[in-house]
Amino acid sequence: MSAAPLVDRFARAITYLRLSVTDRCDLRCTYCMPERMTFLPRADVLSLEELHQLSLAFIARGVTKLRLTGGEPLVRRDMIDLVQALGRQLGEGGLKELTLTTNGTRLAEFAEPLRAAGVRRINVSLDTLDRARFAELARRDSLPQVLEGLAAAKAAGLKVKINAVALKGVNQDELPDLIAWAHGQGHDVTLIEVMPLGEIEEDRFDHYLPLDVVRRDLESRWTLAANAATTGGPARYVDVAETGGRLGFITPLTSNFCAGCNRVRVTATGQLYMCLGGEGRVDLRAALRSADPETELAAAFARAMGEKQERHAFAIDRRAAAPAVSRHMSTTGG
Ligand code: SAM
């Protein structure tokens, strides 16, 4: 099937899809969601076949990189079947990269099957190496499983990037150790600023840590050399001379990277969000479940490209009565 490529009003070609396969998670990171999170009704979530069909529709329109995410993608029971089916699109099918973002708790079981299905690189979210701190931050005592998962990923030959949210008064003091440890393991690291997405129990402003502050601290310890590498994402990279590893910074709050945006996100219920930082969406599930999915999907994609906003406008502000975006990161897909 050939279809009109996805190009928005600002002539940005969309080649990268982040597809959420579930909004459920086995952790409850305090900055991400409340302990008693309301999850989507299961009946609203796309079936495995629908996720596959939708992915093929994106690939037919020029998407070459597909990241499975969530919630925690590896808690969805049939997840590995989807990875295997999508793995068959690698190469001649038009897909160049199939990857996922995970918290690592179930990687010990899934690292090998992921590699066998064609996954080569994964992102693992890890904010601290201190077990007590992890248990407090994630509200689950799961650091041992995550470390076991990381070891399994390494043994399976998966290239790992560690993503850590930088949090003032939580893990700020530990970031150099976390980076040095990860680089020692052969993993790249990316630091992320906390974003105002969805209601949580606390005020994110209390822990908001601008990455220019972190960068200055790291520069007082190490030699950071700009690295022009881009992986198609919003991170800017440096090489750390002393550790021999690569470090990325994702700065949605302190600097804007939207001009080079090449991606869109689809929730587990088939809602296409053109921007993580916006409310605009197009219902792909309705198109998929219509009498004429091909025509309806084409119309939905055209509408989405006409509506993709030029840039996000996050601000993190103690005075804000509500988060900038009402959806949690776990709903849109990280
Ligand atoms: N469960 C998977 C994981 O842990 O990577 C995928 C989904 S998770 C929502 C994706 C990433 O979003 C994680 O790195 C998490 O730390 C990050 N995240 C969650 N809420 C965030 C927020 N409000 N601001 C910035 N990053 C956030």
Side-chain angles (χ1 to χ4, degrees):
M1 181 171 85
S2 80
L6 300 175
V7 179
D8 76 359
R9 290 175 292 160
F10 307 100
R12 295 175 297 195
I14 304 306
T15 55
Y16 182 5
L17 169 65
R18 293 184 171 215
L19 178 61
S20 171
V21 300
T22 177
D23 67 325
R24 287 162 200 265
C25 190
D26 51 350
L27 302 182
R28 291 287 182 281
C29 299
T30 49
Y31 57 81
C32 184
M33 61 171 85
E35 170 68 70
R36 298 170 71 84
M37 178 74 176
T38 310
F39 293 111
L40 297 164
R42 281 183 203 277
D44 290 355
V45 172
L46 296 184
S47 69
L48 193 73
E49 291 70 25
E50 287 171 323
L51 288 167
H52 184 233
Q53 197 185 344
L54 207 50
S55 301
L56 295 187
F58 274 98
I59 295 168
R61 289 170 174 79
V63 162
T64 56
K65 177 170 176 176
L66 209 165
R67 177 178 300 281
L68 300 172
T69 180
E72 172 48 40
L74 294 178
V75 302
R76 180 161 173 162
R77 205 171 329 153
D78 49 10
M79 162 71 181
I80 203 69
D81 301 333
L82 178 65
V83 179
Q84 285 163 353
L86 292 174
R88 290 194 274 279
Q89 299 304 316
L90 286 163
E92 287 183 8
L95 195 58
K96 290 188 185 145
E97 181 167 25
L98 175 61
T99 182
L100 88 161
T101 299
T102 174
N103 62 27
T105 58
R106 306 200 62 190
L107 262 183
E109 180 184 349
F110 289 111
E112 265 300 338
L114 287 170
R115 166 86 196 181
V119 173
R120 293 292 173 265
R121 300 192 304 168
I122 57 172
N123 288 355
V124 179
S125 303
L126 180 61
D127 303 321
T128 176
L129 288 171
D130 179 292
R131 186 167 175 177
R133 194 177 270 186
F134 185 104
E136 197 177 330
L137 188 61
R139 298 192 185 104
R140 303 289 184 269
D141 181 21
S142 305
L143 182 64
Q145 287 95 295
V146 175
L147 294 178
E148 203 189 322
L150 280 167
K154 195 170 164 180
L158 291 171
K159 178 79 184 142
V160 171
K161 180 160 77 70
I162 302 286
N163 283 339
V165 178
L167 298 161
K168 185 167 70 183
V170 178
N171 66 357
Q172 181 172 9
D173 58 336
E174 192 195 336
L175 292 173
D177 288 346
L178 180 63
I179 295 163
W181 173 83
H183 285 174
Q185 295 288 315
H187 307 323
D188 290 343
V189 181
T190 293
L191 302 178
I192 306 172
E193 287 173 341
V194 72
M195 291 176 269
L197 304 174
E199 293 284 358
I200 53 173
E201 284 98 341
E202 55 191 57
D203 189 338
R204 286 191 184 88
F205 185 85
D206 293 338
H207 300 300
Y208 169 56
L209 177 58
L211 287 184
D212 48 350
V213 173
V214 178
R215 189 170 174 148
R216 275 197 300 277
D217 175 46
L218 296 175
E219 277 166 345
S220 70
R221 302 162 188 263
W222 292 330
T223 316
L224 309 185
N227 179 318
T230 161
T231 54
R236 307 281 151 74
Y237 290 98
V238 297
D239 291 317
V240 182
E242 289 77 3
T243 62
R246 196 162 73 154
L247 175 64
F249 297 89
I250 299 187
T251 55
L253 284 306
T254 51
S255 77
N256 190 279
F257 40 68
C258 303
C261 186
N262 61 352
R263 74 205 76 102
V264 292
R265 298 164 195 260
V266 173
T267 69
T269 57
Q271 305 308 304
L272 168 60
Y273 282 94
M274 288 72 87
C275 175
L276 176 65
E279 303 283 1
R281 70 181 161 103
V282 167
D283 187 354
L284 297 183
R285 185 183 59 187
L288 264 183
R289 294 181 180 174
S290 72
D292 183 2
E294 211 165 305
T295 308
E296 293 297 323
L297 271 180
F301 281 126
R303 203 158 62 245
M305 290 304 99
E307 288 176 17
K308 183 168 162 67
Q309 65 196 65
E310 188 171 13
R311 52 186 295 164
H312 66 248
F314 287 129
I316 197 154
D317 181 352
R318 188 187 287 280
R319 289 176 303 278
V325 175
S326 59
R327 299 179 322 276
H328 292 87
M329 187 79 159
S330 59
T331 306
T332 325

